[in-house]
Amino acid sequence: MNPAPHPRPAPGLPGRRGLLGGLLAGAALAAVPALAAPARAEGGPSPAPATPAGPRATRPLLLGTYTSEGGGGTGIGTASYDTGTGAITPRPVITGVENPSYLATHPSGATVYAVAEQAAGAVTAVAIGPDGAYEVLGSRATGGSGPTHLSVHPSGRWLLSANYTSGSVVVHPIAEDGSLGERTDLVAHSSPPPGPGQGGPHAHQVVTSPDGGHVLAVDLGTDTVYTYRLDESAGTLTEVSRAALAPGSGPRHLAFHPGGRFAYLACELDNTMVVCAYDPATGVLTPGPAQSTGTGSGTSYPAQPVVTGDGAYVYLANRGHNSLTRYAVEGGGAALRLLDTVPVGGDWPRQLALSPDSSLLFAANQRSSTVTVFAVGPDGSLTGAGAPFPAPVAVCVLPLP
């Protein structure tokens, strides 16, 4: 969510892996002129050196936005990106999806899920066909307001979502065709009491641990990370542990190290990053000392960390500072060493995503309505890869395999 007072808009198919690649065809998608051709933006990252001509692969890219906000999009944006240069090419928009501010895909690659971040919260399933055609499979209510994050359980049978405004986490079953059933559980974060300046709980993220044994929910309002076990038969959650963060720290999003024993937690209200130890056997998350984001004094509203596939580097989006913090991972994941910060080349980097091979880093810049792309060097360095790509109120970017 945005910083306090956190204003918001008012208001998988088995056996079909990779069908999202059909987005590149685009012919059967509803053509809506919401994405313009790339243009150089003032203050953007310097382009990377030109690469020699030769065969290159292009892969799909999905874009989340707010449809209820002035200047926002009209649905889920689609594009393609060059895996060598990072250049983005606009494609048509998947319409009929309200306020898709966060996106996730089914493990099969055949279905996309989006939150409907609005007062009457919902989650929507969209099937993508091999010819680029799409079908909105329908929406289900989340039972809360302002859902801001969702993820698919590794089994592919359950969709997990987080209601920010009402402070709860929700489970929906996923049918064979990728559509969603009625929710099987809703757990409200009724304790501990809200942190300083918070009017209630604010669930901001819900993810499954790398081992698949636990579900973790990050709550900015209660300064707590809750650990649950998911009953994979009934689709219900049972709390097993809580991790308390510093009062008023505002934990927002975490990202696991590939080794599965450590996680990196961004706290948006006290401008820190926290390395947490994780015990797969018990689900206990143990936060370590708060660390600097390298952005100086004041609150820079760090948003989201991402970890390279080899576990060597962590990047953090800083919205107020309009920068990316770069950390080296040490001690097998147990420690972060601050390296530097890099200008993001846009305004208010809301969300980050690495390409599947971690060679490119994408930043969705909400206030400048752009996506900026960086080439990731072997040493973790970031080099601007072309001009910022125009995308209306870009709040989520999802590069696909």
Side-chain angles (χ1 to χ4, degrees), residues 38-363:
R40 179 70 176 167
E42 187 69 24
S46 301
T51 55
R56 298 191 186 103
T58 56
R59 300 304 304 155
L61 190 75
L62 302 180
L63 300 163
T65 185
Y66 290 123
T67 59
S68 61
E69 186 171 313
T74 55
I76 299 174
T78 77
S80 61
Y81 71 95
D82 186 307
T83 59
T85 67
I88 300 175
T89 301
R91 301 292 182 188
V93 172
I94 300 174
T95 57
V97 185
E98 296 297 317
N99 289 317
S101 65
Y102 201 88
L103 309 170
T105 56
H106 191 274
S108 69
T111 313
V112 179
Y113 300 96
V115 299
E117 190 178 336
Q118 52 201 20
V123 284
T124 301
V126 181
I128 308 295
D131 58 355
Y134 72 90
E135 179 184 4
V136 177
L137 299 176
S139 300
R140 296 287 186 178
T142 61
S145 59
T148 191
H149 186 270
L150 80 175
S151 60
V152 181
H153 187 266
S155 68
R157 298 182 56 233
W158 306 102
L159 183 71
L160 311 166
S161 56
N163 288 316
Y164 176 87
T165 306
S166 52
S168 59
V169 291
V170 184
V171 185
H172 285 86
I174 299 175
E176 287 293 309
D177 66 352
S179 63
L180 297 170
E182 291 292 346
R183 67 181 180 272
T184 53
D185 204 4
L186 182 152
V187 179
H189 294 162
S190 57
S191 65
Q198 301 298 313
H202 294 307
H204 212 309
Q205 182 193 35
V206 58
V207 294
T208 305
S209 58
D211 60 285
H214 296 92
V215 170
L216 288 85
V218 182
D219 196 297
L220 185 151
T222 63
D223 299 313
T224 301
V225 180
Y226 303 80
T227 299
Y228 300 96
R229 283 198 182 276
L230 173 67
D231 183 324
E232 295 188 42
S233 297
T236 54
L237 297 169
T238 301
E239 184 180 328
V240 298
S241 180
R242 294 181 184 182
L245 280 298
S249 58
R252 178 184 174 95
H253 272 220
L254 62 76
F256 274 95
H257 185 270
R261 301 302 299 264
F262 299 97
Y264 311 109
L265 178 61
C267 295
E268 75 166 68
L269 298 182
D270 70 357
N271 194 30
T272 61
M273 179 78 105
V274 177
V275 179
C276 303
Y278 172 73
D279 183 349
T282 63
V284 172
L285 190 77
T286 304
Q291 298 184 221
S292 171
T293 61
T295 57
S297 59
T299 302
S300 197
Y301 306 110
Q304 182 194 20
V306 293
V307 188
T308 55
D310 61 4
Y313 297 95
V314 172
Y315 304 101
L316 175 67
N318 302 297
R319 288 168 294 170
H321 197 244
N322 285 333
S323 68
L324 305 173
T325 301
R326 189 169 62 107
Y327 298 94
V329 178
E330 298 179 333
L336 294 179
R337 177 167 54 89
L338 177 65
L339 297 176
D340 55 23
T341 60
V342 176
V344 75
D347 189 0
W348 209 252
R350 168 72 173 267
Q351 188 255 352
L352 299 180
L354 286 158
S355 61
D357 64 358
S358 294
S359 66
L360 297 169
L361 177 68
F362 298 84

